[in-house]
Amino acid sequence: MRVEGGSEDRWVDDHAGPVVRPYAVTRGRARPVTGTFDLISLVTATRADAGAESGLGPEHLAIVALCQRMQSVAEVAAHLDLPVGTVRVLLGDLMARELVMVRPPRGSAGLPDESVFEAVINGLRAL
């Protein structure tokens, strides 16, 4: 819905208030400038405060604040109520500035092989 407010028009959602579309948050970018981010990649801030950095939006700062404790990419998106694609672009910006560190998910080397899972399933069925 469009609301006219004097000399300034603004877009609002009846329930959410002012709306900023995800492409506006990323400045129209659909891909991160660096890095690839799986949903379960773990993100950690490298600094306690990024407020002195110029060119960062409020969403960037929110990610740095949220990632003082390790979070997955999916958790960051959920906490900030942003699409995962948008979060990936913002994380790329933060990685380029070395404000966050992203660890890819571990491979399956630490998990037991399929025979263990099959034995557990067979044991449960036997009950």
Side-chain angles (χ1 to χ4, degrees):
M1 168 203 295
R2 189 174 187 159
V3 175
E4 294 186 29
S7 63
E8 184 178 312
D9 293 339
R10 61 189 178 118
W11 290 93
V12 295
D13 179 278
D14 291 336
H15 301 288
V19 175
V20 177
R21 299 287 181 218
Y23 61 81
V25 172
T26 63
R27 297 182 191 114
R29 296 172 294 147
R31 300 199 192 293
V33 292
T34 186
T36 56
F37 310 102
D38 193 275
L39 284 176
I40 58 174
S41 294
L42 297 175
V43 184
T44 308
T46 58
R47 286 197 248 172
D49 184 26
E53 291 283 326
S54 64
L56 294 180
E59 294 82 7
H60 290 102
L61 299 176
I63 291 172
V64 172
L66 181 64
C67 292
Q68 295 303 307
R69 294 186 59 209
M70 192 177 295
Q71 305 280 329
S72 71
V73 172
E75 289 173 310
V76 171
H79 282 293
L80 299 180
D81 197 24
L82 288 171
V84 173
T86 301
V87 169
R88 286 178 173 146
V89 172
L90 298 174
L91 286 172
D93 296 344
L94 294 170
M95 273 188 65
R97 292 174 179 240
E98 299 180 353
L99 293 171
V100 296
M101 184 174 64
V102 180
R103 281 193 330 197
R106 286 180 41 184
S108 61
L111 297 175
D113 63 20
E114 289 183 31
S115 64
V116 174
F117 293 120
E118 287 177 24
V120 169
I121 290 171
N122 291 334
L124 291 171
R125 285 183 183 152
L127 294 175

